[in-house]
Amino acid sequence: MNTALVLIDLQFDFLDPEGQLPIHSEHTAPLLNAVNKLVEHARRAQMPVGHIVNAFAPGSWLNVFRRYAAIDGTPGAQLDARSPKPGPAEPTFTKSSGSAFDNPELGAWLKAQRIDHLIVAGVFANGCVRQSTLAALHAGFVVSVVPEALGDGSERSRDRGIRRMVRA
C-alpha cells in the first residue's frame, strides 16, 4: 500500500486556549505530541504529508455557529505555532466545509501520488476528521486514525467520533 499522512485543521483557533473554538484542553498536548511524531516518522519514511486547513469566508452566516473561527485571512486561521509546518513537498489544501475531500485538489494530489491508504489526524474527531474519513472511505481509500492524534471539544465527542469512524 502507498500511504499518506493527512493532517486536518491544526490551526490556532482550534488548538490554542485563546482561539475562537478550542478543543478540550486535555486533548491539546497529547494530540500535538502524537502529530509531531507522526510527521517525523512520515518524513523519515519519505511518506507524502498533506495539510488541510479551514478557510471560512468572512461573510458566511454559518460563522456564527463556528464562533467565527478560522476565518480566511485571520490569525486564527493560521497553523498553530506548535503544529508541524508544511515541508517543501507537502501541499496545503484549504476547505470551507467539514470534509477535506470537498476540495478536489486533495483527491487529485492523492491520485497523482498513487495513494491508497491514509493516516488521518487532527481536529475535530466528531466533525471534520470524521467527515473527511467517511469521504475518503467512500472514495475507496483505506483509512487509519490514530486516537492520540485526534482532538475534540470534549472527551465524549472525541470518543463518539472515534467510534463512528471505526464502525465505518
Side-chain angles (χ1 to χ4, degrees):
M1 280 194 177
N2 291 325
T3 303
L5 175 61
V6 176
L7 305 175
I8 300 176
D9 301 342
L10 299 176
Q11 294 163 271
F12 178 87
D13 271 346
F14 307 128
L15 294 178
D16 193 279
E18 299 298 317
Q20 296 293 92
L21 190 60
I23 62 171
H24 190 284
S25 60
E26 292 181 16
H27 294 177
T28 307
L31 176 143
L32 287 167
N33 185 47
V35 164
N36 281 300
K37 285 180 181 177
L38 285 169
V39 170
E40 182 182 319
H41 172 76
R43 288 174 177 162
R44 258 190 276 121
Q46 298 182 340
M47 178 190 304
V49 178
H51 302 260
I52 312 298
V53 294
N54 280 308
F56 297 124
S60 173
W61 64 272
L62 290 172
N63 291 335
V64 171
F65 302 106
R66 299 180 192 117
R67 298 184 195 162
Y68 296 94
I71 304 296
D72 193 22
T74 65
Q78 300 301 312
L79 287 173
D80 186 89
R82 299 161 294 169
S83 68
K85 302 299 172 258
E90 298 174 2
T92 298
F93 302 96
T94 60
K95 66 181 182 67
S96 57
S97 68
S99 173
F101 283 87
D102 286 348
N103 181 337
E105 293 175 7
L106 173 61
W109 175 71
L110 293 168
K111 183 177 180 181
Q113 302 287 320
R114 293 190 163 95
I115 301 299
D116 51 12
H117 176 227
L118 303 178
I119 299 171
V120 179
V123 299
F124 284 80
N126 198 31
C128 295
V129 174
R130 179 177 53 84
Q131 290 179 38
S132 298
T133 296
L134 296 176
L137 290 168
H138 182 74
F141 293 97
V142 174
V143 182
S144 300
V145 294
V146 181
E148 298 81 18
L150 300 174
D152 211 304
S154 70
E155 195 65 37
R156 182 177 177 189
S157 185
R158 180 178 166 270
D159 291 345
R160 186 179 320 125
I162 292 170
R163 283 193 309 274
R164 287 177 171 176
M165 287 183 277
V166 168
R167 274 197 306 264

mmCIF file of all heavy atoms in Angstrom, residues 107-141:
data_model
loop_
_atom_site.group_PDB
_atom_site.id
_atom_site.type_symbol
_atom_site.label_atom_id
_atom_site.label_comp_id
_atom_site.label_asym_id
_atom_site.label_seq_id
_atom_site.Cartn_x
_atom_site.Cartn_y
_atom_site.Cartn_z
ATOM 1 N N GLY A 107 -7.975 15.115 -3.638
ATOM 2 C CA GLY A 107 -8.115 13.838 -4.339
ATOM 3 C C GLY A 107 -7.167 13.717 -5.517
ATOM 4 O O GLY A 107 -6.587 12.652 -5.747
ATOM 5 N N ALA A 108 -6.996 14.799 -6.260
ATOM 6 C CA ALA A 108 -6.078 14.783 -7.409
ATOM 7 C C ALA A 108 -4.643 14.563 -6.951
ATOM 8 O O ALA A 108 -3.894 13.801 -7.582
ATOM 9 C CB ALA A 108 -6.199 16.087 -8.196
ATOM 10 N N TRP A 109 -4.240 15.208 -5.857
ATOM 11 C CA TRP A 109 -2.881 15.028 -5.330
ATOM 12 C C TRP A 109 -2.673 13.590 -4.881
ATOM 13 O O TRP A 109 -1.639 12.976 -5.190
ATOM 14 C CB TRP A 109 -2.644 16.003 -4.181
ATOM 15 C CG TRP A 109 -1.326 15.828 -3.494
ATOM 16 C CD1 TRP A 109 -0.088 16.136 -3.986
ATOM 17 C CD2 TRP A 109 -1.107 15.292 -2.182
ATOM 18 N NE1 TRP A 109 0.884 15.828 -3.048
ATOM 19 C CE2 TRP A 109 0.280 15.311 -1.940
ATOM 20 C CE3 TRP A 109 -1.949 14.810 -1.191
ATOM 21 C CZ2 TRP A 109 0.850 14.860 -0.750
ATOM 22 C CZ3 TRP A 109 -1.398 14.369 -0.003
ATOM 23 C CH2 TRP A 109 -0.017 14.393 0.213
ATOM 24 N N LEU A 110 -3.632 13.032 -4.155
ATOM 25 C CA LEU A 110 -3.511 11.650 -3.688
ATOM 26 C C LEU A 110 -3.440 10.683 -4.866
ATOM 27 O O LEU A 110 -2.645 9.737 -4.856
ATOM 28 C CB LEU A 110 -4.682 11.296 -2.766
ATOM 29 C CG LEU A 110 -4.716 12.050 -1.432
ATOM 30 C CD1 LEU A 110 -6.050 11.844 -0.738
ATOM 31 C CD2 LEU A 110 -3.555 11.633 -0.541
ATOM 32 N N LYS A 111 -4.246 10.928 -5.884
ATOM 33 C CA LYS A 111 -4.224 10.074 -7.078
ATOM 34 C C LYS A 111 -2.869 10.172 -7.783
ATOM 35 O O LYS A 111 -2.300 9.162 -8.193
ATOM 36 C CB LYS A 111 -5.351 10.476 -8.029
ATOM 37 C CG LYS A 111 -5.456 9.603 -9.248
ATOM 38 C CD LYS A 111 -6.627 10.007 -10.125
ATOM 39 C CE LYS A 111 -6.694 9.116 -11.345
ATOM 40 N NZ LYS A 111 -7.805 9.490 -12.228
ATOM 41 N N ALA A 112 -2.341 11.381 -7.909
ATOM 42 C CA ALA A 112 -1.038 11.567 -8.566
ATOM 43 C C ALA A 112 0.079 10.866 -7.802
ATOM 44 O O ALA A 112 1.050 10.403 -8.399
ATOM 45 C CB ALA A 112 -0.731 13.063 -8.698
ATOM 46 N N GLN A 113 -0.075 10.770 -6.480
ATOM 47 C CA GLN A 113 0.914 10.085 -5.646
ATOM 48 C C GLN A 113 0.669 8.573 -5.582
ATOM 49 O O GLN A 113 1.405 7.860 -4.906
ATOM 50 C CB GLN A 113 0.864 10.657 -4.212
ATOM 51 C CG GLN A 113 1.118 12.136 -4.104
ATOM 52 C CD GLN A 113 2.568 12.476 -4.322
ATOM 53 O OE1 GLN A 113 3.458 11.771 -3.871
ATOM 54 N NE2 GLN A 113 2.819 13.553 -5.043
ATOM 55 N N ARG A 114 -0.395 8.111 -6.221
ATOM 56 C CA ARG A 114 -0.818 6.699 -6.201
ATOM 57 C C ARG A 114 -1.082 6.207 -4.770
ATOM 58 O O ARG A 114 -0.721 5.083 -4.400
ATOM 59 C CB ARG A 114 0.206 5.823 -6.899
ATOM 60 C CG ARG A 114 0.285 6.095 -8.377
ATOM 61 C CD ARG A 114 1.138 5.042 -9.070
ATOM 62 N NE ARG A 114 0.905 5.058 -10.499
ATOM 63 C CZ ARG A 114 1.643 5.719 -11.373
ATOM 64 N NH1 ARG A 114 2.658 6.445 -10.960
ATOM 65 N NH2 ARG A 114 1.368 5.664 -12.655
ATOM 66 N N ILE A 115 -1.708 7.052 -3.988
ATOM 67 C CA ILE A 115 -2.016 6.738 -2.590
ATOM 68 C C ILE A 115 -3.297 5.915 -2.521
ATOM 69 O O ILE A 115 -4.282 6.224 -3.195
ATOM 70 C CB ILE A 115 -2.173 8.039 -1.765
ATOM 71 C CG1 ILE A 115 -0.892 8.868 -1.812
ATOM 72 C CG2 ILE A 115 -2.624 7.745 -0.342
ATOM 73 C CD1 ILE A 115 0.329 8.185 -1.236
ATOM 74 N N ASP A 116 -3.275 4.880 -1.693
ATOM 75 C CA ASP A 116 -4.491 4.098 -1.453
ATOM 76 C C ASP A 116 -4.792 3.932 0.039
ATOM 77 O O ASP A 116 -5.817 3.391 0.417
ATOM 78 C CB ASP A 116 -4.426 2.737 -2.138
ATOM 79 C CG ASP A 116 -3.155 1.958 -1.835
ATOM 80 O OD1 ASP A 116 -2.399 2.331 -0.925
ATOM 81 O OD2 ASP A 116 -2.913 0.957 -2.540
ATOM 82 N N HIS A 117 -3.896 4.421 0.886
ATOM 83 C CA HIS A 117 -4.063 4.322 2.342
ATOM 84 C C HIS A 117 -3.762 5.674 2.970
ATOM 85 O O HIS A 117 -2.730 6.276 2.677
ATOM 86 C CB HIS A 117 -3.113 3.257 2.900
ATOM 87 C CG HIS A 117 -3.140 3.143 4.389
ATOM 88 N ND1 HIS A 117 -1.992 3.083 5.140
ATOM 89 C CD2 HIS A 117 -4.163 3.087 5.278
ATOM 90 C CE1 HIS A 117 -2.311 2.986 6.428
ATOM 91 N NE2 HIS A 117 -3.624 2.998 6.533
ATOM 92 N N LEU A 118 -4.675 6.134 3.826
ATOM 93 C CA LEU A 118 -4.481 7.401 4.519
ATOM 94 C C LEU A 118 -4.383 7.179 6.012
ATOM 95 O O LEU A 118 -5.141 6.391 6.581
ATOM 96 C CB LEU A 118 -5.659 8.346 4.263
ATOM 97 C CG LEU A 118 -5.988 8.693 2.821
ATOM 98 C CD1 LEU A 118 -7.204 9.603 2.770
ATOM 99 C CD2 LEU A 118 -4.798 9.334 2.140
ATOM 100 N N ILE A 119 -3.469 7.892 6.631
ATOM 101 C CA ILE A 119 -3.428 8.015 8.085
ATOM 102 C C ILE A 119 -3.916 9.426 8.362
ATOM 103 O O ILE A 119 -3.353 10.395 7.843
ATOM 104 C CB ILE A 119 -2.007 7.800 8.643
ATOM 105 C CG1 ILE A 119 -1.509 6.401 8.294
ATOM 106 C CG2 ILE A 119 -1.985 8.031 10.153
ATOM 107 C CD1 ILE A 119 -0.047 6.171 8.604
ATOM 108 N N VAL A 120 -4.982 9.539 9.152
ATOM 109 C CA VAL A 120 -5.632 10.825 9.365
ATOM 110 C C VAL A 120 -5.486 11.234 10.827
ATOM 111 O O VAL A 120 -5.680 10.428 11.734
ATOM 112 C CB VAL A 120 -7.118 10.748 8.965
ATOM 113 C CG1 VAL A 120 -7.817 12.069 9.201
ATOM 114 C CG2 VAL A 120 -7.264 10.336 7.503
ATOM 115 N N ALA A 121 -5.162 12.515 11.037
ATOM 116 C CA ALA A 121 -5.024 13.067 12.383
ATOM 117 C C ALA A 121 -5.521 14.503 12.369
ATOM 118 O O ALA A 121 -5.526 15.156 11.326
ATOM 119 C CB ALA A 121 -3.562 13.014 12.819
ATOM 120 N N GLY A 122 -5.950 14.997 13.528
ATOM 121 C CA GLY A 122 -6.329 16.400 13.616
ATOM 122 C C GLY A 122 -7.547 16.644 14.470
ATOM 123 O O GLY A 122 -7.863 15.879 15.379
ATOM 124 N N VAL A 123 -8.252 17.723 14.149
ATOM 125 C CA VAL A 123 -9.441 18.134 14.901
ATOM 126 C C VAL A 123 -10.560 18.458 13.908
ATOM 127 O O VAL A 123 -10.280 18.785 12.762
ATOM 128 C CB VAL A 123 -9.150 19.373 15.791
ATOM 129 C CG1 VAL A 123 -8.072 19.055 16.808
ATOM 130 C CG2 VAL A 123 -8.761 20.596 14.984
ATOM 131 N N PHE A 124 -11.701 18.356 14.299
ATOM 132 C CA PHE A 124 -12.438 17.791 15.412
ATOM 133 C C PHE A 124 -12.793 16.361 15.060
ATOM 134 O O PHE A 124 -13.314 16.100 13.986
ATOM 135 C CB PHE A 124 -13.704 18.600 15.660
ATOM 136 C CG PHE A 124 -13.452 19.910 16.359
ATOM 137 C CD1 PHE A 124 -12.992 21.029 15.683
ATOM 138 C CD2 PHE A 124 -13.669 20.020 17.723
ATOM 139 C CE1 PHE A 124 -12.776 22.220 16.346
ATOM 140 C CE2 PHE A 124 -13.458 21.219 18.397
ATOM 141 C CZ PHE A 124 -13.010 22.317 17.707
ATOM 142 N N ALA A 125 -12.530 15.421 15.988
ATOM 143 C CA ALA A 125 -12.724 13.995 15.708
ATOM 144 C C ALA A 125 -14.142 13.679 15.266
ATOM 145 O O ALA A 125 -14.355 12.866 14.368
ATOM 146 C CB ALA A 125 -12.361 13.164 16.943
ATOM 147 N N ASN A 126 -15.124 14.303 15.896
ATOM 148 C CA ASN A 126 -16.516 14.014 15.573
ATOM 149 C C ASN A 126 -17.068 14.980 14.530
ATOM 150 O O ASN A 126 -18.253 14.967 14.243
ATOM 151 C CB ASN A 126 -17.383 14.066 16.847
ATOM 152 C CG ASN A 126 -18.700 13.358 16.666
ATOM 153 O OD1 ASN A 126 -18.812 12.396 15.930
ATOM 154 N ND2 ASN A 126 -19.719 13.860 17.337
ATOM 155 N N GLY A 127 -16.209 15.800 13.964
ATOM 156 C CA GLY A 127 -16.620 16.754 12.948
ATOM 157 C C GLY A 127 -15.822 16.559 11.675
ATOM 158 O O GLY A 127 -16.027 15.601 10.932
ATOM 159 N N CYS A 128 -14.872 17.448 11.439
ATOM 160 C CA CYS A 128 -14.118 17.443 10.182
ATOM 161 C C CYS A 128 -13.300 16.179 9.957
ATOM 162 O O CYS A 128 -13.206 15.699 8.831
ATOM 163 C CB CYS A 128 -13.222 18.675 10.111
ATOM 164 S SG CYS A 128 -14.166 20.210 10.042
ATOM 165 N N VAL A 129 -12.711 15.626 11.012
ATOM 166 C CA VAL A 129 -11.923 14.401 10.838
ATOM 167 C C VAL A 129 -12.848 13.258 10.425
ATOM 168 O O VAL A 129 -12.561 12.519 9.480
ATOM 169 C CB VAL A 129 -11.125 14.040 12.109
ATOM 170 C CG1 VAL A 129 -10.431 12.693 11.947
ATOM 171 C CG2 VAL A 129 -10.110 15.128 12.434
ATOM 172 N N ARG A 130 -13.982 13.134 11.107
ATOM 173 C CA ARG A 130 -14.940 12.071 10.777
ATOM 174 C C ARG A 130 -15.486 12.268 9.362
ATOM 175 O O ARG A 130 -15.539 11.319 8.576
ATOM 176 C CB ARG A 130 -16.075 12.032 11.792
ATOM 177 C CG ARG A 130 -17.115 10.957 11.499
ATOM 178 C CD ARG A 130 -18.202 10.901 12.562
ATOM 179 N NE ARG A 130 -18.842 12.172 12.812
ATOM 180 C CZ ARG A 130 -19.855 12.672 12.085
ATOM 181 N NH1 ARG A 130 -20.331 11.990 11.062
ATOM 182 N NH2 ARG A 130 -20.379 13.831 12.393
ATOM 183 N N GLN A 131 -15.883 13.473 9.023
ATOM 184 C CA GLN A 131 -16.428 13.724 7.694
ATOM 185 C C GLN A 131 -15.398 13.452 6.602
ATOM 186 O O GLN A 131 -15.716 12.865 5.560
ATOM 187 C CB GLN A 131 -16.949 15.153 7.602
ATOM 188 C CG GLN A 131 -18.192 15.375 8.435
ATOM 189 C CD GLN A 131 -18.673 16.805 8.360
ATOM 190 O OE1 GLN A 131 -18.613 17.436 7.310
ATOM 191 N NE2 GLN A 131 -19.149 17.332 9.479
ATOM 192 N N SER A 132 -14.161 13.837 6.844
ATOM 193 C CA SER A 132 -13.094 13.581 5.866
ATOM 194 C C SER A 132 -12.810 12.094 5.754
ATOM 195 O O SER A 132 -12.588 11.574 4.651
ATOM 196 C CB SER A 132 -11.820 14.333 6.261
ATOM 197 O OG SER A 132 -12.053 15.723 6.267
ATOM 198 N N THR A 133 -12.827 11.392 6.886
ATOM 199 C CA THR A 133 -12.599 9.942 6.884
ATOM 200 C C THR A 133 -13.695 9.222 6.109
ATOM 201 O O THR A 133 -13.415 8.337 5.293
ATOM 202 C CB THR A 133 -12.508 9.419 8.332
ATOM 203 O OG1 THR A 133 -11.358 10.010 8.950
ATOM 204 C CG2 THR A 133 -12.386 7.909 8.380
ATOM 205 N N LEU A 134 -14.944 9.592 6.353
ATOM 206 C CA LEU A 134 -16.054 8.963 5.635
ATOM 207 C C LEU A 134 -15.966 9.230 4.138
ATOM 208 O O LEU A 134 -16.204 8.333 3.325
ATOM 209 C CB LEU A 134 -17.390 9.434 6.198
ATOM 210 C CG LEU A 134 -17.683 9.045 7.644
ATOM 211 C CD1 LEU A 134 -19.000 9.652 8.111
ATOM 212 C CD2 LEU A 134 -17.690 7.535 7.822
ATOM 213 N N ALA A 135 -15.604 10.445 3.761
ATOM 214 C CA ALA A 135 -15.442 10.769 2.341
ATOM 215 C C ALA A 135 -14.295 9.974 1.726
ATOM 216 O O ALA A 135 -14.389 9.508 0.587
ATOM 217 C CB ALA A 135 -15.215 12.267 2.165
ATOM 218 N N ALA A 136 -13.199 9.805 2.472
ATOM 219 C CA ALA A 136 -12.061 9.017 1.979
ATOM 220 C C ALA A 136 -12.462 7.561 1.778
ATOM 221 O O ALA A 136 -12.109 6.947 0.757
ATOM 222 C CB ALA A 136 -10.890 9.125 2.947
ATOM 223 N N LEU A 137 -13.193 7.006 2.735
ATOM 224 C CA LEU A 137 -13.668 5.624 2.588
ATOM 225 C C LEU A 137 -14.576 5.496 1.374
ATOM 226 O O LEU A 137 -14.466 4.552 0.599
ATOM 227 C CB LEU A 137 -14.394 5.176 3.856
ATOM 228 C CG LEU A 137 -13.523 4.975 5.092
ATOM 229 C CD1 LEU A 137 -14.388 4.832 6.342
ATOM 230 C CD2 LEU A 137 -12.605 3.776 4.919
ATOM 231 N N HIS A 138 -15.471 6.454 1.210
ATOM 232 C CA HIS A 138 -16.383 6.455 0.062
ATOM 233 C C HIS A 138 -15.615 6.533 -1.261
ATOM 234 O O HIS A 138 -16.027 5.960 -2.261
ATOM 235 C CB HIS A 138 -17.376 7.610 0.186
ATOM 236 C CG HIS A 138 -18.374 7.663 -0.910
ATOM 237 N ND1 HIS A 138 -19.426 6.772 -1.008
ATOM 238 C CD2 HIS A 138 -18.480 8.492 -1.968
ATOM 239 C CE1 HIS A 138 -20.136 7.049 -2.080
ATOM 240 N NE2 HIS A 138 -19.587 8.084 -2.688
ATOM 241 N N ALA A 139 -14.477 7.222 -1.254
ATOM 242 C CA ALA A 139 -13.649 7.359 -2.451
ATOM 243 C C ALA A 139 -12.754 6.142 -2.680
ATOM 244 O O ALA A 139 -12.003 6.094 -3.650
ATOM 245 C CB ALA A 139 -12.796 8.619 -2.360
ATOM 246 N N GLY A 140 -12.811 5.148 -1.776
ATOM 247 C CA GLY A 140 -12.068 3.916 -1.977
ATOM 248 C C GLY A 140 -10.744 3.812 -1.237
ATOM 249 O O GLY A 140 -10.005 2.845 -1.435
ATOM 250 N N PHE A 141 -10.426 4.760 -0.393
ATOM 251 C CA PHE A 141 -9.184 4.700 0.371
ATOM 252 C C PHE A 141 -9.357 3.806 1.594
ATOM 253 O O PHE A 141 -10.441 3.712 2.161
ATOM 254 C CB PHE A 141 -8.769 6.093 0.859
ATOM 255 C CG PHE A 141 -8.367 7.023 -0.244
ATOM 256 C CD1 PHE A 141 -9.282 7.939 -0.758
ATOM 257 C CD2 PHE A 141 -7.085 6.999 -0.769
ATOM 258 C CE1 PHE A 141 -8.929 8.799 -1.773
ATOM 259 C CE2 PHE A 141 -6.723 7.853 -1.790
ATOM 260 C CZ PHE A 141 -7.646 8.763 -2.298
#
